Amino acid sequence: MDHSGHGMMTDLPPFTLGRGLEWSADPFFLTACLLGLALYGWGVVRLVRRGDKWPVGRTVAYVAGVLSIGLMMCTGLNDYGMVMFSVHMVQHMVISMVSPILILLGAPITLALRALPTAGRGRKGPRELLLMLLHSRYMRIITHPAFTIPLFIASLYGLYFTPLFDFLMGSKAGHIAMMVHFLAVGLVFFWPIMGVDPGPHRPGYLLRMLELFAGMPFHAFFGIALMMASAPMVETFQNPPASLGIEALSDQNAAGGIAWAFSEVPSVLVLIALLFQWYASDQRQARRQDRAADRDGDKELEAYNAYLASLHARGR
């Protein structure tokens, strides 16, 4: 398959990490990343100027998430990803499973709701529109596990094992659409599970863990299918440029190994985040109960003192 339609070089030198990390910006993703960072920065600055606090950890997580997208799409990795299945799989795994988790840990929706001004009575500004979207039936559907888990699975099997993948890889717009799709699928899959930002579905911690582990085995099986295949399965990567010095089947097996290994990464990241949230939630609950107990104790003491005072008054 000729990749010249994508404006890609077909005589890339053999892949090395140094070449993979060379600057080679995709204008769409460069603009999107800069815009994402600028909007988040505006929100944080607005809160700080108002005298509110915003956790530094959230900012770090969000910036790391956006930079991880930039690393995949604005370096040589994007060039090599057009002709090497293994490099493409690294892009896919990071953009669909690492970037969304880091972005969601940054709580961008919470930041937007706190930073955007209210439009005033009877008017609808960006904040009101965002709230309407969060509470819409559409959002309830696309964040429901009955939708997110099949979508997560179909994004692998329905894309790579059908002609759709080759069609999308045949043009620059198709490739951008595919990568945006990977990011969007990751965001809607992990959003209810992470539970950092408000959303239509907020299941308990155990249910969230079940949702996480429901999708991961299919991810591992997908990787194993690529690793065990005895012939190239995706037409786009069947004839890599001779200059790369790679063999299509071994590169596909490497891609399968990457997909299989990456199925563990989000599980660990999300599990750690959930355990921290669970612990923090229990601590908050315990503090609330302690305060309630203190208030009840104070009321009992006040009542007892009042009773003693009434006895003393009667005795006089």
Side-chain angles (χ1 to χ4, degrees):
M1 183 176 177
D2 178 22
H3 290 286
S4 56
H6 188 85
M8 298 298 304
M9 295 181 294
T10 53
D11 57 346
L12 288 166
F15 178 80
T16 62
L17 190 59
R19 289 191 184 114
L21 296 179
E22 282 174 4
W23 181 253
S24 180
D26 177 285
F28 174 86
F29 279 97
L30 178 62
T31 305
C33 287
L34 290 174
L35 186 62
L37 290 173
L39 288 172
Y40 195 92
W42 171 83
V44 173
V45 168
R46 190 172 162 82
L47 284 192
V48 171
R49 280 188 180 160
R50 204 166 65 197
D52 290 346
K53 286 185 178 174
W54 184 253
V56 175
R58 283 184 176 179
T59 305
V60 170
Y62 181 86
V63 170
V66 174
L67 290 181
S68 68
I69 297 170
L71 181 67
M72 293 300 112
M73 301 308 302
C74 295
T75 62
L77 291 174
N78 196 32
D79 299 335
Y80 281 96
M82 293 302 296
V83 288
M84 288 179 69
F85 203 170
S86 54
V87 178
H88 168 84
M89 194 55 72
V90 171
Q91 285 181 287
H92 177 173
M93 295 297 108
V94 170
I95 280 182
S96 69
M97 298 172 88
V98 177
S99 307
I101 291 170
L102 291 170
I103 286 170
L104 289 166
L105 282 172
I109 295 172
T110 304
L111 178 63
L113 290 173
R114 286 182 61 187
L116 287 168
T118 50
R121 187 172 295 176
R123 287 159 58 206
K124 286 187 179 132
R127 188 177 187 278
E128 288 71 24
L129 292 171
L130 178 58
L131 280 169
M132 280 173 63
L133 180 64
L134 287 174
H135 294 120
S136 66
R137 181 182 293 178
Y138 165 77
M139 202 54 81
R140 278 203 300 277
I141 292 168
I142 69 159
T143 58
H144 195 280
F147 181 85
T148 59
I149 294 170
L151 179 69
F152 190 70
I153 296 162
S155 286
L156 291 170
Y157 296 89
L159 193 64
Y160 287 95
F161 299 157
T162 68
L164 182 59
F165 182 84
D166 297 315
F167 170 73
L168 291 171
M169 287 291 279
S171 70
K172 190 174 180 67
H175 185 239
I176 288 170
M178 187 200 302
M179 289 300 173
V180 170
H181 168 78
F182 290 152
L183 179 63
V185 168
L187 286 169
V188 296
F189 178 74
F190 289 111
W191 179 15
I193 295 171
M194 300 296 291
V196 179
D197 271 329
H201 290 282
R202 186 63 69 86
Y205 291 101
L206 285 174
L207 271 176
R208 289 193 223 170
M209 287 178 188
L210 286 173
E211 276 182 46
L212 173 66
F213 291 122
M216 289 307 138
F218 294 96
H219 216 278
F221 294 147
F222 167 76
I224 290 165
L226 291 178
M227 286 165 74
M228 304 291 283
S230 55
M233 298 171 76
V234 179
E235 190 186 324
T236 298
F237 300 114
Q238 271 182 6
N239 300 300
S243 62
L244 288 174
I246 59 167
E247 198 257 317
L249 186 58
S250 61
D251 189 48
Q252 177 176 286
N253 296 155
I258 290 162
W260 176 74
F262 255 94
S263 62
E264 303 301 317
V265 173
S267 304
V268 172
L269 282 175
V270 175
L271 217 51
I272 291 168
L274 282 179
L275 289 171
F276 268 106
Q277 284 179 42
W278 202 342
Y279 174 75
S281 172
D282 283 351
Q283 292 292 100
R284 281 196 302 271
Q285 184 68 26
R287 282 198 296 272
R288 272 198 297 269
Q289 287 170 350
D290 287 345
R291 280 198 299 269
D294 288 344
R295 279 197 302 271
D296 292 343
D298 289 344
K299 282 176 188 167
E300 283 176 21
L301 186 61
E302 282 169 21
Y304 182 64
N305 286 336
Y307 171 67
L308 287 179
S310 69
L311 285 180
H312 181 63
R314 248 183 284 169
R316 283 167 62 192

